[in-house]
Amino acid sequence: MIPLKIEEVIKATSGFTDGVIEGVIKGVSTDSRNIKGGELFVPLAGENFDGHDFIKDALEKGAAAALCEMRKKGKLGPCNDRSLIIFVDNTQKALLMLAGYYRNLFNIPFVAVTGSVGKTTTKNMIAEVLKTRFEVLKTEGNFNNEIGLPLTLFGLDKRHQIGVVEMGMSGLGEIRRLSAVVKPNVSVITNIGVAHIEKLGSKQNIARAKMEILEPLKRDDLAVLNADSPELWEKRDDIVPRTVYFGLERGDVRVGNIESFGNNGIKFHIYGKYGDMRFEVPLPGSHNAKNAAAALAVGFELGLSEKQIQEGFSNLKAAKMRMEFKKSKTGAVIIDDTYNANPDSMKAALDILAESGRGKKKAAVLGDMRELGDYSKTAHREVGRYAADKTDILVAIGEFSGDMAEGFCEKRSDTNSLFKYNATSSAAKDIKKIVEDCDIILIKASRAMKLEEITMVLMGVLD
């Protein structure tokens, strides 16, 4: 981060002080435990904590200043140095306002990525492709919400030539707020699925929420969209910026001749706007060919060559707990995909299990998918049915394990290959015996299920 004068922070956040605060901030932190000297402390409130309780700690550790909501002035004890406090209406809103101010100091383009499935992978693909020509700032980990995205933007400095950010959402309006801060020049929507349907009610509403990422785009900017998502394809005549659609059957860039080589990755052809070309991606799963199509469309539109795009793809590595191939203590292959899950990503992961485990004994350890609301039972039953054709053994875990098991049994009568548990801890006690003769094991669920415990047991890290 380039230093900001504290008077700039006050102006950007519409804040005020009890006196005059001089100096600069050299960074921004929302965590008093690891704040560094010279940083601005932004206290946020969660379900079980309130960062305002730690303003004193942050200042004692050398914070240059701290924000404080006006309605929480009472949390400032007599020992707090009020000469270092900037009062604002809402600290989370102030964080976004400050990030927007800071982003405007840099006259560089931004690529923003969202979607129900594949946004992190696609974001990483785009960043690696662009790194072959540009100095790139990108979202790290899961910093894709109204807290994480501003913290990503504060990483901008004078060396950066382009930014690539991921935008997640839980409801209408969130991506609109993030996009207003980032002001992207290129927006990518990987697909429209049923993640977050609990709050949004329908795929049409999910599409509306995702398409908020297009709102800041001007006519000469670029939208890269999935032609295989009907909710996006049917809007093709109404979108203001120029568009590039990618897909399997239709679009400006079409993907075909996909070859899967298990954990060694995939090869595929593209046809259409950029010609007939062949690319290789060192990530497993045929579905990644479409993610790559989105990334290469961004690359070509920003002036990169076929050679540069392939070089970027070659540099890709799996993100932590996202399709990571590991070894169990017995030598079996573990596909650790425990970071998150929804119906589409579950099916894609089961496809990878089947592709990577041809001729081998396979097990799928699958836990609950969250935020599906009234669709939960149906979705888990569908995944169970899908798993019946992809794995030899199914271990279903969680509140909806019974629904997943029902789906599995609709297509398979060999109940000896089905195991059902209400909790991860219960499954962890039996898992080694269940999969002892399996060659490859997929482990996947929503993050709240903490299925990494299963991974650690199989790897011998936990008993």
Side-chain angles (χ1 to χ4, degrees):
M1 182 179 188
I2 60 173
L4 284 184
K5 293 180 180 179
I6 290 179
E7 63 187 63
E8 291 180 88
V9 176
I10 296 170
K11 182 178 179 181
T13 59
S14 299
F16 71 92
T17 65
D18 285 346
V20 177
I21 308 178
E22 297 180 344
V24 300
I25 64 164
K26 300 176 182 178
V28 178
S29 176
T30 60
D31 190 340
S32 63
R33 293 169 298 181
N34 56 24
I35 196 162
K36 299 181 180 66
E39 291 185 333
L40 172 71
F41 177 55
V42 181
L44 302 172
E47 290 184 9
N48 302 310
F49 70 92
D50 187 345
H52 287 78
D53 296 328
F54 305 101
I55 289 176
K56 178 185 175 190
D57 293 342
L59 294 176
E60 287 177 349
K61 290 179 180 178
L67 300 188
C68 176
E69 293 184 0
M70 289 178 281
R71 64 192 176 92
K72 295 184 178 180
K73 270 188 172 184
K75 284 183 173 278
L76 296 175
C79 296
N80 288 140
D81 187 346
R82 294 196 179 210
S83 67
L84 299 179
I85 304 296
I86 300 169
F87 295 101
V88 297
D89 179 52
N90 179 286
T91 53
Q92 184 165 322
K93 191 179 294 183
L95 181 66
L96 278 173
M97 293 166 69
L98 183 59
Y101 174 85
Y102 188 73
R103 186 268 181 267
N104 286 339
L105 298 178
F106 299 85
N107 185 25
I108 65 171
F110 264 78
V111 181
V113 183
T114 193
S116 296
V117 183
K119 56 183 175 289
T120 299
T121 300
T122 304
K123 175 258 300 180
N124 288 338
M125 286 180 171
I126 292 169
E128 290 300 331
V129 164
L130 296 181
K131 278 180 185 178
T132 63
R133 180 170 173 179
F134 303 106
E135 192 69 41
V136 178
L137 172 82
K138 75 162 184 171
T139 303
E140 298 295 343
N142 64 336
F143 275 33
N144 64 5
N145 58 17
E146 291 182 284
I147 299 170
L149 187 137
L151 295 177
T152 295
L153 293 179
F154 294 130
L156 275 170
D157 60 38
K158 293 178 180 178
R159 76 179 186 276
H160 291 120
Q161 298 170 294
I162 195 167
V164 181
V165 294
E166 177 183 336
M167 294 183 183
M169 64 92 191
S170 57
L172 287 165
E174 188 169 354
I175 287 179
R176 176 176 293 120
R177 293 190 291 273
L178 296 177
S179 297
V181 169
V182 173
K183 297 181 177 64
N185 308 91
V186 179
S187 291
V188 180
I189 305 180
T190 60
N191 49 51
I192 304 298
V194 295
H196 308 297
I197 202 167
E198 179 179 20
K199 293 184 178 179
L200 288 165
S202 69
K203 286 186 74 174
Q204 286 70 30
N205 282 342
I206 293 169
R208 281 178 55 206
K210 297 294 185 185
M211 290 183 74
E212 291 172 358
I213 203 170
L214 306 180
E215 292 176 3
L217 300 183
K218 301 178 179 63
R219 190 167 295 278
D220 292 335
D221 290 331
L222 175 68
V224 178
L225 308 173
N226 189 336
D228 296 334
S229 287
E231 299 82 7
L232 298 176
W233 180 250
E234 67 188 19
K235 298 290 186 182
R236 62 192 181 279
D237 295 327
D238 303 324
I239 296 171
V240 172
R242 61 194 176 94
T243 60
V244 174
Y245 274 93
F246 63 93
L248 294 177
E249 301 296 332
R250 60 191 178 191
D252 305 292
V253 183
R254 298 179 302 281
V255 179
N257 292 336
I258 304 170
E259 296 180 77
S260 175
F261 301 94
N263 62 335
N264 292 317
I266 57 173
K267 294 181 181 180
F268 61 95
H269 273 86
I270 63 159
Y271 310 92
K273 182 172 184 176
Y274 310 115
D276 181 349
M277 302 176 189
R278 187 165 181 77
F279 289 96
E280 298 180 20
V281 172
L283 299 180
S286 298
H287 65 284
N288 273 320
K290 283 212 298 184
N291 294 332
L296 64 86
V298 174
F300 279 126
E301 293 296 321
L302 293 180
L304 274 67
S305 68
E306 177 184 355
K307 182 179 179 182
Q308 287 172 317
I309 291 169
Q310 181 56 67
E311 180 185 344
F313 286 157
S314 298
N315 293 331
L316 282 165
K317 293 179 177 61
K320 188 176 181 182
M321 293 194 298
R322 295 178 189 265
M323 283 297 154
E324 278 192 286
F325 278 68
K326 301 176 177 179
K327 284 284 187 183
S328 76
K329 199 170 182 181
T330 61
V333 173
I334 298 173
I335 306 175
D336 182 352
D337 198 23
T338 55
Y339 188 81
N340 213 341
N342 59 52
D344 295 320
S345 68
M346 277 284 202
K347 291 174 182 177
L350 285 163
D351 286 340
I352 292 175
L353 175 66
E355 292 168 7
S356 302
R358 287 192 185 97
K360 300 175 182 177
K361 186 167 183 181
K362 300 175 285 292
V365 183
L366 307 179
D368 281 355
M369 302 173 287
R370 300 294 175 90
E371 298 186 344
L372 296 176
D374 293 340
Y375 183 54
S376 293
K377 287 181 173 292
T378 300
H380 284 84
R381 198 173 297 118
E382 284 180 4
V383 167
R385 268 197 302 270
Y386 198 82
D389 293 328
K390 304 292 181 177
T391 186
D392 299 299
I393 290 174
L394 173 64
V395 182
I397 305 172
E399 178 184 354
F400 299 101
S401 57
D403 299 289
M404 199 180 293
E406 281 181 24
F408 187 84
C409 291
E410 286 175 17
K411 298 191 77 173
R412 292 269 292 272
S413 58
D414 53 330
T415 54
N416 290 334
S417 59
L418 174 65
F419 301 85
K420 186 176 63 171
Y421 294 89
N422 292 327
T424 300
S425 56
S426 302
K429 293 176 183 177
D430 297 342
I431 195 66
K432 286 192 283 189
K433 184 175 180 180
I434 293 171
V435 302
E436 61 184 348
D437 60 344
C438 290
D439 303 300
I440 184 166
I441 306 152
L442 168 67
I443 307 174
K444 186 171 179 62
S446 284
R447 188 73 194 90
M449 292 299 295
K450 298 182 179 179
L451 248 61
E452 65 270 21
E453 181 181 344
I454 301 289
T455 303
M456 290 189 285
V457 168
L458 292 177
M459 292 179 69
V461 178
L462 288 178
D463 294 330

